[in-house]
Amino acid sequence: MELALRLAEEAAERGEVPVGAVVMEGDVVLAAEANRMRALGDPTAHAEMLAMRAALAARGTGRLDGCDLYVTLEPCAMCAGAIAHARIRRLYYGAEDVKAGAVDNGVRLFAQPSCHHAPEVISGPGERRAEALLRQFFRDRR
Amino acid sequence: MELALRLAEEAAERGEVPVGAVVMEGDVVLAAEANRMRALGDPTAHAEMLAMRAALAARGTGRLDGCDLYVTLEPCAMCAGAIAHARIRRLYYGAEDVKAGAVDNGVRLFAQPSCHHAPEVISGPGERRAEALLRQFFRDRR
């Protein structure tokens, strides 16, 4: 989560909403990304999507089963859906996203009977730093 | 939808779950893609995701407002989330997906108060061909 937070900090410096994500397989970092919506002109370029795609490319098995995703902010519906598709084993997220989150807020995707794979979810690690980063970012832009 | 169905047919020949997607801006095709999960070893490489990313790259405005998405199968939660992020104006889909769909089934994402943008949804065009394609594909693989 330390690495994810550092990536989020760097993203803020580039004017990106500060969210970072890391995919780990055991002790090995498979991929580490931050939001790049602005740089790529792509509103789907969330840190989690980029990190999972990079990890899938690195792993080459078409799945991330047995892998864990660390992300500084609660994933949205798009990213939660991707987490289920990729079969992430464990999801660690920092700050809650009351507005757009889809894990413990909103549609609570992994709790739905329609969800074909639900990771174990651990929320809270890095929460305070992740929240402070986001708050500062949006304050600076007002 | 004709083009989306043709792309889905071609995808089936490559061993991909036959789903095709086209992004239009007025009369102009911005992007046309089919599922490439197998080819890319990426379970997030759904036709809609690929078509929207390509359309965003082609358009360069960071959004697809005013654009319409035609897809042969009801989008899942990941794709529905991406549709909201990209601000697609109108979504046309063919076959319903009772298991994994997230528009008129499952979490019904666009109907949730947490959803920040909901496209107009028109379901049914191409439904019978889209369904027949999927049924045939899964029958052949049993």
Side-chain angles (χ1 to χ4, degrees):
Chain A
M1 190 58 88
E2 177 59 34
L3 175 54
L5 284 162
R6 238 180 318 131
L7 289 164
E9 277 162 13
E10 290 170 17
E13 286 162 24
R14 296 189 302 269
E16 301 276 4
V17 175
V19 178
V22 176
V23 178
M24 305 275 301
E25 183 169 16
D27 290 340
V28 180
V29 173
L30 286 183
E33 292 277 355
N35 272 351
R36 286 201 273 157
M37 285 101 85
R38 191 175 149 157
L40 300 178
D42 175 0
T44 74
H46 288 194
E48 304 95 303
M49 295 299 289
L50 300 176
M52 285 190 284
R53 285 216 303 275
L56 284 158
R59 208 170 182 230
T61 58
R63 283 191 178 175
L64 297 174
D65 45 318
C67 298
D68 302 329
L69 173 67
Y70 293 78
V71 55
T72 57
L73 182 65
E74 181 184 354
C76 71
M78 173 183 71
C79 293
I83 286 166
H85 288 315
R87 303 193 172 264
I88 288 283
R89 179 178 62 173
R90 215 172 279 139
L91 164 67
Y92 296 85
Y93 77 80
E96 252 193 283
D97 188 345
V98 175
K99 263 197 200 160
V103 177
D104 293 313
N105 290 283
V107 296
R108 292 176 168 76
L109 193 73
F110 302 135
Q112 303 307 320
S114 55
C115 188
H116 54 93
H117 170 81
E120 186 185 345
V121 177
I122 295 113
S123 61
E127 181 176 13
R128 257 183 302 175
R129 254 175 83 194
E131 263 179 16
L133 255 173
L134 286 159
R135 217 171 17 237
Q136 186 63 47
F137 180 80
F138 288 112
R139 194 186 299 140
D140 289 351
R141 292 169 80 88
R142 261 211 304 267
Chain B
M1 190 59 86
E2 177 59 34
L3 174 54
L5 284 162
R6 236 179 320 130
L7 288 164
E9 277 163 13
E10 290 169 18
E13 285 162 24
R14 296 190 302 269
E16 301 276 3
V17 176
V19 178
V22 175
V23 178
M24 305 276 300
E25 182 169 15
D27 291 340
V28 180
V29 173
L30 286 182
E33 292 276 356
N35 272 350
R36 286 202 272 157
M37 285 100 85
R38 190 174 148 158
L40 300 177
D42 175 359
T44 74
H46 288 196
E48 304 95 303
M49 296 299 289
L50 300 176
M52 286 191 284
R53 284 216 304 276
L56 284 158
R59 207 168 182 232
T61 58
R63 282 191 179 176
L64 298 175
D65 45 318
C67 298
D68 302 329
L69 174 66
Y70 294 77
V71 55
T72 57
L73 181 65
E74 180 183 353
C76 71
M78 172 183 71
C79 293
I83 287 166
H85 289 315
R87 302 191 173 266
I88 287 283
R89 179 178 62 171
R90 215 171 279 138
L91 165 66
Y92 296 85
Y93 77 79
E96 253 194 283
D97 189 345
V98 175
K99 262 197 200 160
V103 176
D104 293 313
N105 289 283
V107 297
R108 291 176 168 75
L109 194 72
F110 302 134
Q112 303 306 320
S114 56
C115 188
H116 54 93
H117 170 80
E120 186 186 343
V121 177
I122 295 113
S123 61
E127 182 176 12
R128 256 183 304 174
R129 253 175 84 194
E131 264 179 17
L133 255 172
L134 286 159
R135 218 174 12 243
Q136 185 63 46
F137 180 81
F138 287 111
R139 193 186 299 140
D140 288 351
R141 291 169 79 88
R142 259 209 306 265

